Amino acid sequence: MSAVEETADDSLYPIAVLIDELRNEDVTLRLNSIRKLSTIALALGVERTRNELIQFLTDTIYDEDEVLLVLAEQLGNFTPLVGGPDHVHCLLSPLENLATVEETVVRDKAVESLRKIADKHSSASLEEHFVPMLRRLATGDWFTSRTSACGLFSVVYPRVSPAIKSELKSMFRTLCRDDTPMVRRAAAAKLGEFAKVFEKTTVVEGLHSSLTDLHVDEQDSVRLLTVESAIAFGTLLDKANKKKLVEPILIELFDDKSWRVRYMVAEKLIEIQNVLGEDMDANHLVALYTNLLKDPEGEVRCAATQRLQEFAVNLPEDKRQNIICSQLLAVAKELVTDGNQLVKSELAGVIMGLAPLIGKEQTVSELLPLYMQLLNDQTPEVRLNIISSLDKVNEVIGAAQLSTSLLPAIVGLAEDGKWRVRLAIVQFMPLLASQLGQEFFDEKLLPLCLNWLTDHVFSIREASTLIMKELTQKFGGQWASTNIVPKMQKLQKDTNYLQRMTCLFCLNTLSEAMTQEQILKEIMPIVKDLVEDDVPNVRFNAAKSLKRIGKNLTASTLTSEVKPLLEKLGKDSDFDVRYFAEEARNGWLFLHSIVLSKKMLFRSRLVIGHITSQIGIS
């Protein structure tokens, strides 16, 4: 055997291994080989791939679901590997088999791949190869093939002849009346998508009867899918047909006997409003919506309440304020005392958004009492949602009217037994500071922030150190020197080493919001003291702090103030302290080298500019 032949054999050996693995009893090896199917196809060439590999895959389609799932995905990208669009129809056979298997995710992936390769077919090829396959799937004995067929009509219909279009309409209508609920469910899910590829003049004639049948189906799992289909129809029809054919169906779905259907209506409420809003009496639609807000099922009330603000925004501007005050707020007053905590939580998250829509006077008289009730609710999430949306009310009525009633709720949340609730209110503090002003913050809220620095949960202490930077940026370095630094000086002397570490963490964030003079005067003395701490954990955190604080100091200050401290820590008896001191020192040297490089580059440019000007003069 020649050297060239031996080299060729060696290069093909891994491919041979992959092909053997396709037949292996070990599912892991088969899965590995399927994932590399494109590599095998490239090695075989387009002709052998079409004639041998695709045929092999078609014959051995019965495998583990995870193998079939990967295979279905791979085949969707096989068009160039079988010779391009002229030969793409050879992929239909294995994908057709995959579209009939029992496992839903495999069928869905096979349909996805079939939709992908349908675009690669010419119109003639679609009619010759794809449509017969779709016909077989749609008339198959097993429901699995018929459910898969429902997802393929929309990609075929626009590109076939009128005679075949008529046949496809008939097939789809038959699937909509199928005896098996799973098939009707699949048809209902794809009805809107299919309608969108119809000629607008034929939508009513072709598919409206199917929508009418499905929206009164005995299975609620079918009816709930017609909500989206009806919305799709509404976007396609003219004003007269929409009012006559779509509006009655959607109105019936609002009052459906199944809570799952009503839940879907609530989920799609804004889309329904956009479709029907202009042509339907606003009071009629509001009445349907308020029925959802009063629904006996908590899940429906939750979904409807979530959309309160957006629904109100979409109301006709000339009627908006009157509808909100006379109808929506009447229901909201009932929801404030709802027995379901999730409903109240959703209401608290959206009700503040009504304030800009009804103005100051109505907000004070109608909304403010509801806010106060929600602020006094026993559920922390309800109070948090109100506080997180205060900016919307603050813009309308100002902070003065809010502050008195707001404080007890904030104090209650700040001292809540659940640390996650405390964490959430910590993170809201910068927002509250900007809304309520420095004077109110210093008097009422600053003590809470300082107390969080000694909370027994680390996440609370860490979050409180982070907000100190934002507060300092908001109120200024002098404010931090007056209000925060004294607390740091107390923590610096605390007997608990964890509090001394919190002090360092806080100084790290403060240094990023203070001037160099303030850092040297207020922060560095505390850090210098903690460099001498008895506990190694505190000393190596002091080294970390020096590295971070050093980023906000000039090179000369680093040399005079930071370098001696790092050299001292570099000789510490504890290995970790020495390690972090060396790391901080290397970071400082790197920073110093960047500064020097910038200076040298600036001087070089000056010299080059000077030389250039001299040459120009001469």
Side-chain angles (χ1 to χ4, degrees):
M1 184 182 290
S2 68
V4 174
E5 289 173 329
E6 286 181 2
T7 304
D9 286 346
D10 289 343
S11 65
L12 289 173
Y13 178 72
I15 306 301
V17 171
L18 286 174
I19 293 171
D20 285 341
E21 285 179 356
L22 285 173
R23 303 184 182 90
N24 200 291
E25 292 182 3
D26 187 342
V27 66
T28 306
L29 294 177
R30 293 201 305 279
L31 196 57
N32 174 63
S33 190
I34 289 289
R35 287 198 176 106
K36 296 177 180 176
L37 210 53
S38 58
T39 306
I40 297 173
L42 281 170
L44 291 173
V46 293
E47 191 171 341
R48 290 190 67 192
T49 296
R50 288 197 304 268
N51 297 333
E52 299 176 29
L53 181 60
I54 298 300
Q55 187 59 47
F56 170 76
L57 294 173
T58 305
D59 294 339
T60 58
I61 210 70
Y62 305 103
D63 205 326
E64 299 290 337
D65 291 333
E66 55 186 325
V67 176
L68 297 181
L69 178 63
V70 176
L71 175 59
E73 183 178 12
Q74 291 281 324
L75 289 175
N77 303 314
F78 246 55
T79 303
L81 300 174
V82 294
D86 291 341
H87 301 280
V88 71
H89 59 84
C90 73
L91 297 173
L92 296 178
S93 184
L95 284 171
E96 180 182 352
N97 289 343
L98 288 168
T100 63
V101 300
E102 189 174 351
E103 181 55 47
T104 305
V105 291
V106 177
R107 293 201 310 272
D108 289 346
K109 186 59 70 174
V111 170
E112 184 184 319
S113 292
L114 282 167
R115 290 169 64 92
K116 192 183 294 185
I117 67 171
D119 291 336
K120 310 296 182 186
H121 284 71
S122 64
S123 295
S125 182
L126 268 179
E127 294 189 9
E128 184 182 353
H129 301 288
F130 205 97
V131 171
M133 179 210 68
L134 177 54
R135 194 179 292 121
R136 289 192 297 273
L137 288 174
T139 57
D141 292 334
W142 292 94
F143 79 89
T144 52
S145 70
R146 302 198 297 278
T147 57
S148 295
C150 294
L152 299 174
F153 284 86
S154 61
V155 293
V156 178
Y157 185 85
R159 299 173 55 202
V160 293
S161 65
I164 293 181
K165 283 183 177 180
S166 179
E167 182 189 359
L168 292 177
K169 290 179 195 176
S170 178
M171 276 197 288
F172 193 84
R173 283 196 293 266
T174 301
L175 291 172
C176 289
R177 296 191 296 270
D178 196 275
D179 292 336
T180 310
M182 287 79 83
V183 178
R184 298 199 301 276
R185 188 159 59 235
K190 297 298 179 181
L191 180 60
E193 179 187 284
F194 191 23
K196 288 177 182 177
V197 300
F198 264 61
E199 303 83 354
K200 287 195 175 183
T201 55
T202 63
V203 171
V204 174
E205 178 192 347
L207 289 178
H208 184 262
S209 61
S210 298
L211 177 63
T212 305
D213 291 340
L214 291 170
H215 99 279
V216 293
D217 193 275
E218 62 182 14
Q219 296 285 328
D220 62 356
S221 60
V222 176
R223 296 199 304 277
L224 67 86
L225 292 169
T226 62
V227 176
E228 199 162 351
S229 298
I231 293 169
F233 269 76
T235 62
L236 297 171
L237 300 180
D238 57 51
K239 186 174 180 179
N241 276 322
K242 189 196 305 183
K243 189 161 188 66
K244 178 184 175 184
L245 303 175
V246 176
E247 187 177 305
I249 289 175
L250 286 171
I251 289 174
E252 284 186 41
L253 292 170
F254 266 94
D255 294 322
D256 194 274
K257 61 185 178 182
S258 168
W259 73 266
R260 292 180 178 84
V261 178
R262 300 196 303 275
Y263 176 84
M264 181 60 72
V265 171
E267 282 278 302
K268 301 291 180 182
L269 178 71
I270 305 306
E271 294 175 52
I272 294 172
Q273 188 183 21
N274 291 334
V275 168
L276 301 181
E278 293 181 6
D279 309 317
M280 188 177 183
D281 176 48
N283 288 313
H284 188 189
L285 186 58
V286 171
L288 293 170
Y289 175 48
T290 53
N291 285 341
L292 292 177
L293 290 172
K294 298 175 183 177
D295 197 274
E297 285 294 332
E299 287 85 349
V300 179
R301 297 199 303 279
C302 266
T305 304
Q306 275 180 348
R307 285 146 188 86
L308 176 63
Q309 181 186 344
E310 198 173 350
F311 181 85
V313 170
N314 289 343
L315 290 170
E317 197 168 344
D318 57 330
K319 301 178 181 177
R320 183 188 295 156
Q321 185 172 347
N322 180 51
I323 289 174
I324 292 173
C325 295
S326 63
Q327 298 184 60
L328 296 183
L329 288 184
V331 183
K333 288 174 184 176
E334 297 175 18
L335 295 176
V336 167
T337 56
D338 196 282
N340 189 317
Q341 293 181 357
L342 293 175
V343 174
K344 289 188 290 185
S345 183
E346 294 294 350
L347 179 66
V350 296
I351 196 169
M352 309 290 265
L354 299 181
L357 302 177
I358 62 175
K360 181 176 180 178
E361 185 180 337
Q362 296 290 344
T363 297
V364 173
S365 62
E366 300 289 342
L367 284 180
L368 207 54
L370 301 183
Y371 298 161
M372 296 307 106
Q373 274 187 268
L374 291 168
L375 277 171
N376 293 318
D377 194 88
Q378 295 299 311
T379 309
E381 288 77 11
V382 174
R383 304 199 299 273
L384 275 176
N385 282 349
I386 282 287
I387 290 171
S388 66
S389 306
L390 277 178
D391 54 324
K392 296 168 186 170
V393 181
N394 192 35
E395 292 168 5
V396 179
I397 65 173
Q401 289 182 287
L402 278 178
S403 55
T404 306
S405 52
L406 187 64
L407 185 61
I410 294 174
V411 171
L413 289 167
E415 297 171 351
D416 195 273
K418 298 176 182 176
W419 71 268
R420 293 183 190 278
V421 175
R422 299 201 302 279
L423 179 61
I425 197 67
V426 169
Q427 293 166 339
F428 282 130
M429 274 300 156
L431 175 65
L432 292 172
S434 61
Q435 290 173 355
L436 302 175
Q438 183 178 338
E439 184 179 350
F440 181 85
F441 182 85
D442 287 352
E443 181 184 352
K444 304 294 185 181
L445 301 182
L446 181 60
L448 296 176
C449 295
L450 297 177
N451 285 339
W452 284 323
L453 289 167
T454 55
D455 195 279
H456 64 277
V457 177
F458 172 74
S459 295
I460 306 295
R461 299 198 300 273
E462 181 185 39
S464 62
T465 64
L466 295 175
I467 65 166
M468 293 304 174
K469 174 186 173 181
E470 294 183 59
L471 294 172
T472 302
Q473 289 173 333
K474 198 176 298 295
F475 297 143
Q478 186 56 50
W479 174 85
S481 299
T482 305
N483 295 287
I484 301 178
V485 171
K487 179 69 174 181
M488 296 302 100
Q489 291 168 342
K490 287 183 181 179
L491 291 179
Q492 165 198 357
K493 303 294 184 184
D494 197 287
T495 54
N496 186 336
Y497 83 96
L498 293 174
Q499 308 298 354
R500 302 199 295 277
M501 285 171 59
T502 301
C503 171
L504 286 169
F505 300 151
C506 192
L507 294 177
N508 292 343
T509 61
L510 284 178
S511 67
E512 295 171 2
M514 298 175 78
T515 64
Q516 178 169 287
E517 290 72 22
Q518 289 170 328
I519 292 172
L520 291 174
K521 181 182 176 183
E522 308 286 359
I523 292 179
M524 286 306 293
I526 300 175
V527 178
K528 286 179 181 177
D529 184 66
L530 293 173
V531 164
E532 308 277 355
D533 199 274
D534 294 335
V535 179
N537 287 38
V538 178
R539 296 200 299 277
F540 76 62
N541 274 290
K544 288 182 178 181
S545 294
L546 288 170
K547 178 183 178 181
R548 188 164 170 182
I549 293 168
K551 294 176 182 177
N552 306 299
L553 301 174
T554 62
S556 59
T557 306
L558 282 170
T559 303
S560 61
E561 297 290 334
V562 177
K563 186 178 178 182
L565 297 175
L566 290 175
E567 288 177 345
K568 182 172 184 178
L569 290 170
K571 299 173 183 176
D572 196 275
S573 59
D574 187 271
F575 171 80
D576 290 329
V577 177
R578 295 197 303 274
Y579 171 81
F580 285 109
E582 183 64 24
E583 187 182 70
R585 190 166 176 276
N586 290 338
W588 169 69
L589 289 173
F590 177 70
L591 187 67
H592 189 52
S593 67
I594 290 175
V595 173
L596 288 176
S597 299
K598 287 182 177 178
K599 287 182 177 178
M600 290 175 65
L601 180 61
F602 179 69
R603 288 172 184 167
S604 299
R605 285 175 176 169
L606 286 177
V607 171
I608 292 169
H610 178 69
I611 294 171
T612 304
S613 63
Q614 290 295 323
I615 294 171
I617 291 169
S618 61

